[in-house]
Every structure is written in C-alpha cells, then in structure tokens.
Amino acid sequence: MGSSRLLMLYGVLSLMAVVSSSMGTNNEYEYAAAGSAPSPSGGAADGNRKVTEIVDKVCKKTSNYKNCVDTLYSDPRTPDADRYTLAYVSFGLAYANAVQTRDRIADELLLHKNDSDRRHEILQNLRICERDYNKAVKFLESALNDLNSETFFSLPSYANHAARLADDCQAHYPTFTSASLNSICQICTLVIASLYSGGASP
C-alpha cells in the first residue's frame, strides 16, 4: 500500500472519530476570538489559535471564516499541511460527514419501518435521503481516490454533486440539514482552486 493511500486511510479514520464526537511550520496568523479577522502574530496564547497562511487564504473566501477554520483544524494534520494535504483533510471531512449522516438516516429508517400507511410519506422521503447520501458518499470516495492518483480535474465536481445531494435530502426531510456538508464542500472547492493556483507546496 502506497504512502498516499496510508495517509488517506489514517486521515479518514481519525476524522470519523472527530465528526462523531462534534459536528506550526508555515507562515502563521493568530486567530484570536470568535468572528474576528486574523492578524499577523508571533505566537498564540490563552486559547488563541495560529492559522496557517494557506488556511487563512481559503477561509477568507468562505461565507463563515470561523466555521471554516474550526472545521479544518478539527484534523490534527492541518497546522503543518501543504495544499495537497489540506485537500485530503477537506475531502476527508466531507466524506466523514456524509457517512455519519447516511448512518443517521439508516437509524431513522429503522425507527419508521413499521409506520402506518398514513406515515408512508415519511418513509418515502427518508429513502430519498438514503439514496442521496449513498451517492454523496460515493462521490466523495471518488474524490479521495483521485487525490491518491494526483488527479484534480473532477474534484470540484464531486464536491458540488455531494452538496446538491445534501440539499435534495433536506428538501424532502428537513431533519437532515445540508448546511454542514455544504460548508465543507465549499472548503473543498476552494482548496482545490488553491492547488491550481499555487501547486502542491505552501
């Protein structure tokens, strides 16, 4: 098994644990307080977080800087990640999120399997969500496989497909909101854009 394959497996397994419990060496910026903009700093103190230049540039382009930073830093590789590793991190987070939601949908289907006919619509909508998240997981698996082979062309498409499938599920069964997966998929596309613009090194 190649080193990149081992990196992906380690990352995804560790992310599954992180996502289940809660939904450096580069140029660094201090992320001082919730919602505050990052500023150059020589060090962090009292819970402040240093944000790498790569993460800072990516997260500034998202709709929620703090959420982006918190999401990426839920993976322990992020403080030392170059663009390529950050792509593994972001797609790994998206994959873990989709798998967790798919498993929740399966649990919900079990709860409703004996519902009466008048609640048949609930089962129909849950099955739509099951289909959507099965597809989303497959798209994100394909993305991780493409990263292994350093094939980047289809990665934004995979992220966008996964986000749209999450939206479709939410439209049918609002309990399973798409905001979390959508925000991670947005991060994925921005990280891939940074690969094209700056190569795989910081």
Side-chain angles (χ1 to χ4, degrees), residues 35-57:
S36 65
S39 58
S41 172
D46 295 330
N48 292 344
R49 172 186 287 144
K50 289 183 177 180
V51 178
T52 64
E53 184 177 7
I54 299 168
V55 172
D56 181 65
K57 287 180 177 179

Side-chain angles (χ1 to χ4, degrees), residues 14-28:
S14 62
L15 286 169
M16 290 295 289
V18 170
V19 172
S20 294
S21 62
S22 65
M23 286 292 320
T25 58
N26 300 325
N27 294 331
E28 291 173 323

Side-chain angles (χ1 to χ4, degrees), residues 58-78:
V58 166
C59 290
K60 277 181 176 177
K61 296 176 182 177
T62 66
S63 56
N64 188 326
Y65 182 89
K66 180 182 183 300
N67 178 69
C68 175
V69 171
D70 289 345
T71 297
L72 289 172
Y73 274 82
S74 67
D75 186 298
R77 295 170 295 175
T78 295

Side-chain angles (χ1 to χ4, degrees), residues 19-140:
V19 172
S20 294
S21 62
S22 65
M23 286 292 320
T25 58
N26 300 325
N27 294 331
E28 291 173 323
Y29 292 83
E30 183 179 351
Y31 180 61
S36 65
S39 58
S41 172
D46 295 330
N48 292 344
R49 172 186 287 144
K50 289 183 177 180
V51 178
T52 64
E53 184 177 7
I54 299 168
V55 172
D56 181 65
K57 287 180 177 179
V58 166
C59 290
K60 277 181 176 177
K61 296 176 182 177
T62 66
S63 56
N64 188 326
Y65 182 89
K66 180 182 183 300
N67 178 69
C68 175
V69 171
D70 289 345
T71 297
L72 289 172
Y73 274 82
S74 67
D75 186 298
R77 295 170 295 175
T78 295
D80 299 310
D82 60 12
R83 293 177 179 87
Y84 185 52
T85 303
L86 201 63
Y88 269 111
V89 168
S90 58
F91 275 98
L93 284 162
Y95 175 80
N97 180 285
V99 168
Q100 184 192 41
T101 305
R102 182 191 63 184
D103 292 346
R104 287 177 55 214
I105 292 166
D107 291 341
E108 195 81 2
L109 275 166
L110 285 174
L111 288 174
H112 290 281
K113 68 178 181 178
N114 295 321
D115 282 354
S116 61
D117 288 343
R118 64 189 177 85
R119 292 173 64 86
H120 181 64
E121 185 179 356
I122 292 176
L123 279 172
Q124 283 185 317
N125 290 336
L126 281 170
R127 289 187 181 113
I128 290 171
C129 281
E130 181 182 43
R131 178 202 66 196
D132 286 339
Y133 273 90
N134 280 334
K135 289 181 179 178
V137 167
K138 288 180 180 178
F139 277 124
L140 295 167

